[in-house]
Amino acid sequence: MIADEATLSRLMAKAQQGDRPAYNVLLSEAGMWLERYFRRRVPPHQQDDLVQDVLMALHAKRATYDPTRPFLPWLAAIARYRWVDHLRKVYRNETDLLEEGDAVEDSEEDVITARVSLERLFIHLPEGQAEAIELVKIEGHSISEAAQKTGQSESLVKVNIHRGLKKLAALVEKAE
Amino acid sequence: MNRAREEMIAGLTADLAPVRSFRLRDGLVLTGVAALLTLAGVALFKGLWMGAYHGDATPFFWITNGLLLLLGSASTLAVVNMASPQVGSSREAPKWATAMVGVLPLAAFLSLIPRHDPIGTIVDPVSYHCMLDSLAASALVAIALVLWLRRGAPVSHNAAGWHTGLAAGALGTVAYGLSCALDTMTHLGIWHILPIAIAAVVGRMVVPRLIKW
């Protein structure tokens, strides 16, 4: 079970004063909280790297925590920032958002929740872009298959994926 | 928890040193000092328009500079807050302040409609200097805010860029504006607002690259 907000805030305040045992507990608890946070946001094989990335950021920017404010929103803001950065890297490298087999490891509930979250974001995309991303990046079809299914040219499918992913990253960043 | 993470946590714990937690006040003091230094520089190199304090200024002089001061303060507060990661927006005040300041150029253009030579009224060499000097006067506040953001952990870079430009532009223009004896609605509404718009665009383009972490 992950510690409650009040405990985490207290531990972080102590960590800012140099209390190592408190910091060790805080990092472990934050790590577990982040695992849950990223479970529905990135494929399983990327989760641990992202958790460690956020813990490093927490360490580097620990002075920016204001002890009079709650801890979890502060941690969530850093986690979202690193997540958006991660999405940008994925977008730039043109690697798959979801790799084959990832969904099998997730529970059915996780898959449905992830799907619902994506569909909420897709509402903000033009139909062509959402369709191209769904077919190629989620369902795993090739560019030419997606072109045949949608009636778009292969170039247009690529452009739609490019623009759609860029817009999705911007939407996630913009969301408060 | 896996072994790699355990080792990383042990390393970070061993590396822990006490830190002074972020205080909103520090950022406000830093920006306030930068604004006061700018004002001192303007007073030294340009000289403040003393006529304004002897009743020579039109109400537009005080209204414009007052609104710009509010915009600068609201934007500064937003930027200073942005250095500390948080969920939820606290940026409503600069939006409304920007909207209020936006009335000034509108009023300036409307006041030009009945005139014979509106372009000639707008364009004069002195006005260009007002714009350029206001932009120059924005630099110190901009540097202070960027330094503050770099010390912190801003998570909304684009918003931080816009607001840094708005804050620096507005405070710089107020500082310079206290030396400017041209106090017509047309002049203030155009040439004392344009630098803020330019600063905001420059802030949006430049600041995100400087504060990435």
Side-chain angles (χ1 to χ4, degrees):
Chain A
M1 196 177 121
I2 298 170
D4 59 21
E5 167 59 56
T7 307
L8 291 170
S9 297
R10 207 165 42 245
L11 288 171
M12 186 64 192
K14 282 185 177 178
Q16 285 183 321
Q17 292 160 15
D19 186 330
R20 288 183 178 161
Y23 193 46
N24 195 285
V25 175
L26 175 87
L27 289 176
S28 303
E29 295 290 317
M32 285 192 278
W33 187 88
L34 289 166
E35 269 176 27
R36 278 173 49 181
Y37 180 87
F38 288 125
R39 191 177 300 156
R40 289 166 186 174
R41 289 175 169 85
V42 292
H45 70 279
Q46 295 172 358
Q47 277 170 19
D48 208 53
D49 282 349
L50 211 43
V51 170
Q52 291 195 25
D53 187 31
V54 177
L55 291 178
M56 296 280 281
L58 182 158
H59 181 72
K61 296 293 181 180
R62 64 192 185 279
T64 66
Y65 171 66
D66 179 350
T68 61
R69 287 179 174 171
F71 172 76
L72 284 174
W74 179 81
L75 180 64
I78 293 179
R80 194 184 65 187
Y81 176 76
R82 303 312 301 182
W83 177 43
V84 170
D85 207 37
H86 169 81
L87 281 180
R88 285 215 185 89
K89 281 176 193 157
V90 169
Y91 153 69
R92 280 194 201 116
N93 296 334
E94 299 247 327
T95 54
D96 289 343
L97 277 173
L98 294 170
E99 289 187 353
E100 203 173 326
D102 287 342
V104 179
E105 291 170 33
D106 289 344
S107 71
E108 197 177 335
E109 185 199 358
D110 285 349
V111 172
I112 291 167
T113 313
R115 190 62 193 242
V116 168
S117 303
L118 276 173
E119 278 171 7
R120 269 192 201 151
L121 287 171
F122 278 174
I123 292 170
H124 302 283
L125 296 184
E127 199 182 331
Q129 290 176 10
E131 212 173 11
I133 292 172
E134 191 166 356
L135 286 169
V136 177
K137 296 293 178 186
I138 297 174
E139 293 180 8
H141 293 287
S142 67
I143 297 285
S144 57
E145 285 169 345
Q148 277 177 354
K149 279 179 183 286
T150 58
Q152 300 173 14
S153 68
E154 289 189 16
S155 312
L156 186 58
V157 170
K158 285 179 192 168
V159 169
N160 275 336
I161 291 171
H162 173 86
R163 288 183 181 159
L165 286 178
K166 195 175 178 184
K167 195 169 177 187
L168 280 180
L171 282 169
V172 170
E173 185 180 25
K174 207 173 145 189
E176 293 289 354
Chain B
M1 200 185 341
N2 63 43
R3 191 167 178 79
R5 196 191 304 167
E6 270 177 21
E7 283 173 4
M8 194 196 73
I9 288 176
L12 294 180
T13 304
D15 185 46
L16 183 71
V19 287
R20 186 170 179 265
S21 65
F22 247 43
R23 289 191 176 88
L24 192 69
R25 194 186 54 200
D26 295 348
L28 295 177
V29 167
L30 177 70
T31 317
V33 168
L36 287 175
L37 283 175
T38 304
L39 185 61
V42 169
L44 193 65
F45 294 107
K46 293 276 175 187
L48 299 180
W49 179 38
M50 299 313 288
Y53 309 100
H54 297 122
D56 296 341
T58 63
F60 301 129
F61 177 87
W62 297 110
I63 290 169
T64 304
N65 285 313
L67 283 175
L68 295 190
L69 187 61
L70 277 177
L71 173 61
S73 305
S75 304
T76 297
L77 191 59
V79 174
V80 168
N81 256 314
M82 278 182 212
S84 184
Q86 54 191 297
V87 175
S89 172
S90 57
R91 300 191 287 270
E92 286 302 308
K95 277 184 197 165
W96 286 106
T98 306
M100 283 193 286
V101 167
V103 173
L104 297 173
L106 196 66
F109 282 113
L110 288 174
S111 71
L112 284 174
I113 291 173
R115 300 203 185 171
H116 288 302
D117 179 20
I119 303 297
T121 311
I122 296 174
V123 181
D124 71 277
V126 179
S127 298
Y128 288 120
H129 284 293
C130 274
M131 188 182 72
L132 295 176
D133 288 348
S134 293
L135 281 171
S138 307
L140 207 53
V141 171
I143 290 169
L145 288 172
V146 169
L147 286 176
W148 176 255
L149 287 169
R150 281 174 68 91
R151 219 187 112 198
V155 293
S156 304
H157 292 176
N158 292 347
W162 282 120
H163 287 85
T164 300
L166 277 176
L171 293 179
T173 304
V174 170
Y176 171 76
L178 295 178
S179 75
C180 177
L182 298 174
D183 58 356
T184 63
M185 184 72 254
T186 314
H187 175 79
L188 292 169
I190 295 170
W191 295 103
H192 286 230
I193 301 300
L194 205 52
I196 301 167
I198 293 171
V201 172
V202 172
R204 165 64 186 83
M205 286 162 60
V206 176
V207 172
R209 290 177 213 171
L210 302 175
I211 61 174
K212 193 167 165 53
W213 54 279

